[in-house]
């Protein structure tokens, strides 16, 4: 085991969770090869991989360059299908399981019926890719953040669209996730309501610590980096509801990430036409427990609710977007994989302490 490999979990309780990482957390698709990311993930002890479509598409483009003179009539989708076979083999040879293909963006609520039809057609392609990539993976649909002129917030329509996606994908699973900057769906509560009402056996929810904390608690453009003091109570109340209301068998994955405390005047926070939380997310996520890098969100409280509170077992993935992943140097995948491994150790220790404390309190009564 290398210095940065993942340790044996410190207790039986936390052995319920298996570590994974999103390919986007290991570097930019156009700068860092998927092969390098896979190798870095394996070296750091990861067991699962969330595959970003950008990485698959770039891998396919690379493969296409080698064969473009041989088969000029083939389409981008044909090459993506070839890439899916190759990626599955690469991961299988290294004992790495592909868990998800994502993000299938801007799907639900489209006002233009032709655009909706195009997304359904693209979803069918993703389903084909998913059947190749793994035996039990899901497609992740993040809540849309298109302009209100392009999408409706009508809840019945959103429910119908997610139900249709699940029906089209079946038996491939669909996970719906609330982005903190979503136009109409930006909390786990809204997301869960839609999943619950759509009521499809292959439709579930993805819980992300960054998106939950960013929406309820954070304000990166304020002097304090957070919303007013009652945000603590608001977050706690939300986590209490999550534990009480979310059905465990509908949770398809828990994703972990923190947010970096940045200067409120940082230029990227004020990009024209971009929601401040989106700009912050793309540039300044961190791995959990990286306080030394400026991490400050109440991630432990959110992770504790999603993992211990719900009694969740299964894959826990690091999903970090950052300006550091866009650095043009070959060391990026390895550096980020090592950071993820250290963060996994830290979060396990934090959660294990909570498990032990709860057990002691229970025994006292």
């Amino acid at each position: 085991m290398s210095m940065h490999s993942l340790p044996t979990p410190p207790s039986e309780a936390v052995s319920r969770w298996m570590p994974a990482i999103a390919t986007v957390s290991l570097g930019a698709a156009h700068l860092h090869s998927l092969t390098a990311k896979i190798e870095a993930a394996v070296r750091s002890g990861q067991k699962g991989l969330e595959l970003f479509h950008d990485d698959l598409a770039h891998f396919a483009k690379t493969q296409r360059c080698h064969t473009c003179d041989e088969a000029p009539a083939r389409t981008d989708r044909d090459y993506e299908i070839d890439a899916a076979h190759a990626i599955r083999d690469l991961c299988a040879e290294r004992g790495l399981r592909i868990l998800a293909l994502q993000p299938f963006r801007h799907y639900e609520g489209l006002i233009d019926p032709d655009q909706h039809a195009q997304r359904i057609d693209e979803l069918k392609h993703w389903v084909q890719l998913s059947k190749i990539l793994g035996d039990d993976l899901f497609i992740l649909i993040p809540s849309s953040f298109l302009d209100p002129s392009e999408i409706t917030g009508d809840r019945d329509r959103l429910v119908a669209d997610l139900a249709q996606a699940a029906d089209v994908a079946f038996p491939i699973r669909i996970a719906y996730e609330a982005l903190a900057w979503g136009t109409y769906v930006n909390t786990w509560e809204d997301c869960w309501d839609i999943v619950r009402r759509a009521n499809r056996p292959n439709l579930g929810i993805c819980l992300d610590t960054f998106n939950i904390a960013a929406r309820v608690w954070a304000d990166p453009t304020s002097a304090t980096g957070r919303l007013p003091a009652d945000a603590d109570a608001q977050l706690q109340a939300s986590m209490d509801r999550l534990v009480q209301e979310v059905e465990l068998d509908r949770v398809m994955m828990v994703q972990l990430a923190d947010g970096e405390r940045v200067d409120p005047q940082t230029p990227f926070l004020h990009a024209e036409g971009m929601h401040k939380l989106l700009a912050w997310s793309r540039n300044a996520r961190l791995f959990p427990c990286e306080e030394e890098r400026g991490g400050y969100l109440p991630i432990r409280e959110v992770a504790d609710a999603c993992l211990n509170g719900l009694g969740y077992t299964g894959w826990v993935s690091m999903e970090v977007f950052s300006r550091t992943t866009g650095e043009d140097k070959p060391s990026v995948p390895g550096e980020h994989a090592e950071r993820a491994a250290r963060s996994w150790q830290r979060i396990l220790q934090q959660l294990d302490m909570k498990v032990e404390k709860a057990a002691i309190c229970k025994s006292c009564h």
Side-chain angles (χ1 to χ4, degrees):
M1 182 178 288
S2 69
M3 183 176 68
H4 298 298
S5 291
L6 301 175
T8 300
S11 77
E12 183 178 350
V14 289
S15 66
R16 302 174 307 189
W17 308 313
M18 295 174 287
I21 194 165
T23 54
V24 72
S25 305
L26 298 170
H30 67 290
L31 296 175
H32 310 288
S33 74
L34 182 58
T35 302
K37 294 182 185 185
I38 290 171
E39 295 291 354
V42 171
R43 285 196 305 271
S44 68
Q46 302 291 342
K47 302 301 181 185
L49 199 69
E50 284 189 83
L51 179 61
F52 263 61
H53 185 262
D54 289 354
D55 285 292
L56 185 150
H58 198 271
F59 188 91
K61 183 179 179 181
T62 303
Q63 300 296 103
R64 183 172 191 164
C65 288
H66 298 313
T67 59
C68 56
D69 292 334
E70 300 173 17
R74 304 194 75 213
T75 67
D76 288 345
R77 290 185 178 183
D78 291 329
Y79 282 98
E80 287 190 1
I81 288 169
D82 291 347
H85 284 288
I87 292 166
R88 176 167 180 164
D89 289 344
L90 280 172
C91 290
E93 290 166 4
R94 292 156 179 79
L96 196 62
R97 182 170 158 187
I98 301 173
L99 309 174
L101 179 62
Q102 70 135 319
F104 193 76
R105 293 190 183 98
H106 302 317
Y107 162 69
E108 79 281 24
L110 287 165
I111 294 172
D112 185 335
D114 290 336
Q115 289 184 359
H116 177 78
Q118 289 170 10
R119 296 306 285 147
I120 289 294
D121 182 64
E122 181 69 10
L123 180 60
K124 291 176 180 178
H125 172 57
W126 278 48
V127 170
Q128 188 176 6
L129 294 173
S130 298
K131 289 177 178 178
I132 296 167
L133 287 167
D135 297 323
D136 190 32
L137 79 167
F138 62 82
I139 295 169
L140 191 148
I141 299 180
S143 60
S144 180
F145 51 96
L146 289 175
D147 188 89
S149 64
E150 298 180 74
I151 57 175
T152 178
D154 178 76
R155 187 58 58 93
D156 291 339
R157 169 65 189 279
L158 301 182
V159 169
D161 283 353
L162 265 296
Q164 183 182 10
D167 291 343
V168 167
F170 190 85
I172 298 296
R173 295 176 297 152
I174 298 288
Y176 190 41
E177 177 186 1
L179 299 181
W181 52 93
T183 308
Y184 296 112
V185 178
N186 46 51
T187 65
W188 73 262
E189 288 95 337
D190 287 335
C191 179
W192 173 242
D193 179 62
I194 291 169
V195 167
R196 181 184 57 80
R197 288 176 55 187
N199 192 28
R200 293 297 190 272
N202 60 323
L203 177 65
I205 188 171
C206 177
L207 298 171
D208 180 294
T209 61
F210 178 88
N211 279 306
I212 291 172
R215 185 70 194 186
V216 180
W217 192 91
D219 181 0
T221 61
S222 76
T224 62
R226 53 166 293 170
L227 295 170
D230 67 347
D232 290 328
Q234 295 290 338
L235 180 66
Q236 185 58 56
S238 179
M239 293 303 91
D240 290 344
R241 287 194 300 273
L242 184 146
V243 171
Q244 294 166 5
E245 296 177 13
V246 172
E247 297 169 16
L248 181 57
D249 61 357
R250 294 282 188 168
V251 180
M252 294 192 179
M253 183 173 286
V254 175
Q255 295 170 327
L256 302 181
D258 200 344
E260 178 187 351
R261 180 77 183 278
V262 297
D263 185 324
Q265 300 306 315
T266 299
F268 65 68
L269 287 179
H270 304 278
E272 186 175 357
M274 184 178 293
H275 195 292
K276 63 184 178 182
L277 293 179
L278 170 57
W280 187 41
S281 172
R282 286 187 175 173
N283 288 280
R285 286 202 195 192
L286 294 170
F287 292 100
C289 307
E290 287 194 314
E291 286 82 1
E292 72 278 5
R293 293 177 178 267
Y296 76 107
L297 293 178
I299 294 306
R300 291 180 186 84
E301 290 78 4
V302 179
D304 184 48
C306 294
L307 299 174
N308 286 328
L310 280 176
Y312 175 80
T313 60
W315 295 98
V316 180
S317 180
M318 303 283 185
E319 190 196 43
V320 171
F321 303 82
S322 175
R323 57 197 184 281
T324 61
T325 58
E327 295 174 355
D328 189 4
K329 56 182 185 180
S331 60
V332 165
E335 291 170 354
H336 285 73
E338 290 176 2
R339 284 173 55 192
R342 289 193 296 270
S343 289
W344 180 248
Q345 295 176 26
R346 292 174 180 179
I347 199 73
L348 284 185
Q349 290 167 359
Q350 292 289 334
L351 294 173
D352 193 46
M353 288 170 61
K354 286 180 176 288
V355 170
E356 291 177 354
K357 184 177 179 181
I360 291 171
C361 292
K362 186 175 182 180
S363 65
C364 290
H365 291 84

